[in-house]
Amino acid sequence: DVKVTQSSRYLVKRTGEKVFLECVQDMDHENMFWYRQDPGLGLRLIYFSYDVKMKEKGDIPEGYSVSREKKERFSLILESASTNQTSMYLCASSFVWGPGANVLTFGAGSRLTVL
Amino acid sequence: KNEVEQSPQNLTAQEGEFITINCSYSVGISALHWLQQHPGGGIVSLFMLSSGKKKHGRLIATINIQEKHSSLHITASHPRDSAVYICAAPTGTYKYIFGTGTRLKVLA
């Protein structure tokens, strides 16, 4: 089974703290994504990466950065957390080519609360 | 207007009922993705389809690319089917447009 593992299911942080959300996939997927999910707004893309050290901004990158030093690991960083970043964060990955290309596999999600 | 619209937004059904969730899109795509999200849980891929119909157990997905419409059907619904169902349109290698989801509750 393809697995996308997110390091923390629930986090509570204080305003101004630096927050790291880790995501690891074990299927050699080229693409990795970070989304946030908010009620009524659906899934919105923060950043994606199509290769090691490569990253592209999504629709809502402000206040976030990412790191992909190894193919299997994609980290989301909140440099200085703010209350409006309280949300569910979902990591996903996919192949670029071949059978199953573009089929997203999601992690279990990380629910972040910023106080 | 969203590029991917789902209906209904909320749906309550009795166990055993036949359920239909609809997804209409205005973007040009070659395939559509149906996803399922259980309360508090991650998202699971149900189907990716580009034409016709796909079936997995009690779930059936259909798509008409020309009419830009897809449906997800659940036969003999069960309380464990209670979840949010999301359709997603891949518009490029990296870009997906997501519907806002249909929240389904199946009562025993």
Side-chain angles (χ1 to χ4, degrees):
Chain A
D1 253 7
V2 178
K3 269 213 157 145
V4 177
T5 304
Q6 293 184 229
S7 53
S8 306
R9 287 298 309 273
Y10 300 96
L11 302 97
V12 180
K13 298 290 180 181
R14 298 221 170 262
T15 301
E17 278 193 77
K18 191 168 186 175
V19 182
F20 292 89
L21 299 178
E22 301 281 328
C23 176
V24 178
Q25 52 94 4
D26 65 1
M27 276 300 289
D28 206 33
H29 284 174
E30 296 89 359
N31 293 336
M32 295 190 76
F33 306 82
W34 275 107
Y35 295 95
R36 67 176 278 177
Q37 185 180 35
D38 300 288
L41 297 177
L43 283 151
R44 293 181 292 167
L45 180 64
I46 305 171
Y47 268 96
F48 66 89
S49 169
Y50 51 90
D51 202 350
V52 176
K53 296 191 188 293
M54 306 305 288
K55 59 188 178 187
E56 293 286 342
K57 292 180 181 179
D59 300 316
I60 51 163
E62 295 79 20
Y64 304 94
S65 62
V66 290
S67 172
R68 194 169 180 195
E69 296 296 318
K70 293 186 177 182
K71 190 175 184 180
E72 67 270 18
R73 188 180 296 269
F74 192 35
S75 302
L76 180 70
I77 303 148
L78 288 67
E79 294 289 341
S80 178
S82 63
T83 55
N84 63 12
Q85 292 178 310
T86 292
S87 186
M88 170 71 94
Y89 290 87
L90 288 149
C91 176
S93 66
S94 70
F95 282 120
V96 173
W97 308 107
N102 294 330
V103 176
L104 292 170
T105 301
F106 285 86
S110 297
R111 186 167 292 282
L112 171 67
T113 301
V114 183
L115 303 174
Chain B
K1 189 180 186 331
N2 290 337
E3 293 173 288
V4 176
E5 296 265 357
Q6 284 187 241
S7 63
Q9 288 189 320
N10 294 284
L11 181 56
T12 300
Q14 292 292 327
E15 183 174 358
E17 282 186 22
F18 181 85
I19 288 162
T20 295
I21 299 169
N22 295 300
C23 178
S24 297
Y25 51 91
S26 56
V27 292
I29 61 169
S30 58
L32 190 96
H33 207 168
W34 279 102
L35 307 165
Q36 179 192 58
Q37 184 175 30
H38 281 284
I43 295 175
V44 174
S45 171
L46 296 175
F47 299 103
M48 176 80 96
L49 69 167
S50 55
S51 65
K53 179 165 72 174
K54 282 193 175 180
K55 186 174 189 288
H56 182 71
R58 294 178 296 105
L59 300 177
I60 303 165
T62 63
I63 190 168
N64 186 319
I65 288 285
Q66 288 76 23
E67 293 189 4
K68 297 187 174 180
H69 183 267
S70 177
S71 293
L72 177 68
H73 306 285
I74 305 174
T75 61
S77 59
H78 189 277
R80 65 174 174 267
D81 297 324
S82 298
V84 176
Y85 293 85
I86 302 166
C87 63
T91 60
T93 307
Y94 314 121
K95 179 84 173 168
Y96 297 78
I97 301 175
F98 295 89
T100 51
T102 294
R103 188 175 298 277
L104 171 66
K105 188 169 185 178
V106 181
L107 303 174

